[in-house]
Amino acid sequence: MISLSQEQIESFKDFIGTYGRFIVIGHKEPDGDCMSSSIGVSYILEHFGKECILLNYGPFKRSEVKKFAPLFTNEPPFMSQEDRKRTGLIIVDCSELSRLGDEMKDALEGMDSFIIDHHKTASVGDAKAIVDPTSPAAALLVQQLYEALVGTPDTEKAKTLFFGLSTDTGFFRYLGTKDAEVFRAAARLVEAGSNPRETYQEMSGGKPWNTRKLLGIMLDRAERYISGKLVVSWETQEDTKKYGQEGRDSDALYSLMLAVEGVEAVAFVRQESDTNCTLGLRSKDKVDVSAIASKFGGGGHKNASGASCEGKVETLIPAIVKEFARQMQGI
């Protein structure tokens, strides 16, 4: 992790000083980091007396983020040309308008924007931005901005930021020897009132019964490729209809499969519609799944990435295995 520079902090402060109203938005199908960092930005704007609209396309499938859903609207506000001139757009936990959802992209395109992102595949062009792939969570970048511009967060705010940091680090399981500063930042949030035990229960508990049944199906379908180094499973539209859209048992699938001896990476494919799929890719340390996700129009981190693309499970899986085979040469 590289701490934010004074120049980065001042660039964000200058941006929020330009407008009286802001739209804060993150990627569709938000995770805990996306929602926490969005709310964290709203805390900063609130401190400076700015009007803020929290926007997200949804759907809020993950059980752990549903508590935040009432704070967001999924409908872009109607804006006249005068409204657009006095409104700033802050995008968190992603950098591409396409990841916001088609309706959001069309409504927000062309607005003056500031991006706060930590993904390796971030592409910001000439936009104002703070992008730091060394940060394990967007919430950590927002925490640094809050501490620099406002001060120590109160208990409620500390809990929100700690939740985002915890979810995107797999409750700190994905951190390594270069991440001591991340733990120091987490310690400041604990000192401010966040409770690690409660946060872990929020992340891991409350799963609907049907998702456990679906997990069994995904485990049964799992196949090994590339001398057992890659595990692939999938979900059909019929599965979704039968077991519902709540929960994210792919998260449990990744954890279980990466614990298998010899497995270096896991790919999960969900058939969302007749012509579209979402991909979830995870790896231990050696395989850069962000490079594979980019081949399918997605992106993310070295060890956790995803994509949404046209296609069907039966044709996408061979293509995914082929890309993994290229990445895994010599491993």
Side-chain angles (χ1 to χ4, degrees), residues 19-297:
Y19 299 99
R21 184 174 81 156
F22 291 87
I23 294 172
V24 180
I25 187 170
H27 57 79
K28 60 185 178 181
E29 290 195 33
D31 55 12
D33 185 33
C34 177
M35 300 195 79
S36 294
S37 53
S38 296
I39 298 168
V41 168
S42 78
Y43 293 153
I44 299 173
L45 296 174
E46 179 184 82
H47 173 79
F48 286 98
K50 306 293 184 177
E51 182 183 347
C52 176
I53 299 170
L54 287 171
L55 189 61
N56 196 285
Y57 186 80
F60 304 104
K61 291 183 178 180
R62 297 171 182 264
S63 57
E64 68 270 21
V65 306
K66 288 184 177 181
K67 64 177 183 178
F68 294 130
L71 300 176
F72 291 77
T73 177
N74 62 1
E75 295 184 2
F78 171 79
M79 289 185 287
S80 65
Q81 286 300 318
E82 192 61 34
D83 290 333
R84 291 175 73 88
K85 288 179 182 178
R86 70 179 188 91
T87 305
L89 176 66
I90 300 176
I91 302 172
V92 300
D93 202 32
C94 73
S95 58
E96 302 84 7
L97 285 175
S98 60
R99 292 196 65 206
L100 306 179
D102 291 341
E103 183 180 354
M104 304 298 185
K105 176 180 179 295
D106 294 341
L108 304 176
E109 199 161 18
M111 291 184 65
D112 191 18
S113 60
F114 196 103
I115 294 167
I116 302 173
D117 194 15
H118 69 123
H119 291 100
K120 183 179 178 181
T121 53
S123 176
V124 299
D126 296 327
K128 306 173 193 72
I130 294 174
V131 176
D132 180 9
T134 71
S135 177
L140 182 55
L141 299 175
V142 175
Q143 176 188 347
Q144 292 179 75
L145 288 170
Y146 187 96
E147 291 171 338
L149 297 175
V150 183
T152 301
D154 62 26
T155 297
E156 177 192 357
K157 296 175 177 61
K159 286 181 176 180
T160 299
L161 294 168
F162 187 80
F163 182 82
L165 177 58
S166 298
T167 52
D168 239 33
T169 59
F171 208 73
F172 308 100
R173 289 177 297 150
Y174 306 145
L175 301 182
T177 57
K178 297 180 180 180
D179 294 309
E181 187 57 41
V182 180
F183 284 99
R184 281 189 278 270
R188 294 196 297 272
L189 296 175
V190 173
E191 288 172 346
S194 59
N195 187 318
R197 182 170 57 250
E198 290 179 358
T199 300
Y200 182 76
Q201 184 57 39
E202 289 176 3
M203 291 171 55
S204 60
K207 304 294 184 184
W209 170 254
N210 278 354
T211 66
R212 305 293 90 174
K213 302 287 284 186
L214 180 57
L215 176 60
I217 292 172
M218 292 190 293
L219 289 170
D220 186 57
R221 286 182 183 149
E223 297 287 348
R224 300 179 75 174
Y225 298 85
I226 314 174
S227 301
K229 297 174 185 175
L230 171 67
V231 173
V232 180
S233 190
W234 72 94
E235 179 181 324
T236 68
Q237 289 178 270
E238 289 71 26
D239 296 330
T240 306
K241 291 176 183 177
K242 182 175 181 179
Y243 295 104
Q245 296 187 11
E246 293 187 356
R248 295 282 297 200
D249 278 77
S250 52
D251 294 340
L253 177 74
Y254 303 137
S255 179
L256 289 168
M257 292 296 96
L258 286 173
V260 175
E261 182 179 7
V263 174
E264 293 289 338
V266 180
F268 175 70
V269 185
R270 178 183 284 116
Q271 190 78 51
E272 300 285 0
S273 69
D274 291 341
T275 59
N276 187 268
C277 287
T278 54
L279 318 180
L281 311 175
R282 299 292 186 272
S283 67
K284 288 181 179 176
D285 182 53
K286 299 176 183 178
V287 183
D288 184 355
V289 293
S290 69
I292 296 169
S294 67
K295 299 290 186 180
F296 297 91

Side-chain angles (χ1 to χ4, degrees), residues 304-316:
S305 292
S308 178
C309 61
E310 291 185 358
K312 292 182 178 292
V313 165
E314 55 268 26
T315 55
L316 280 172

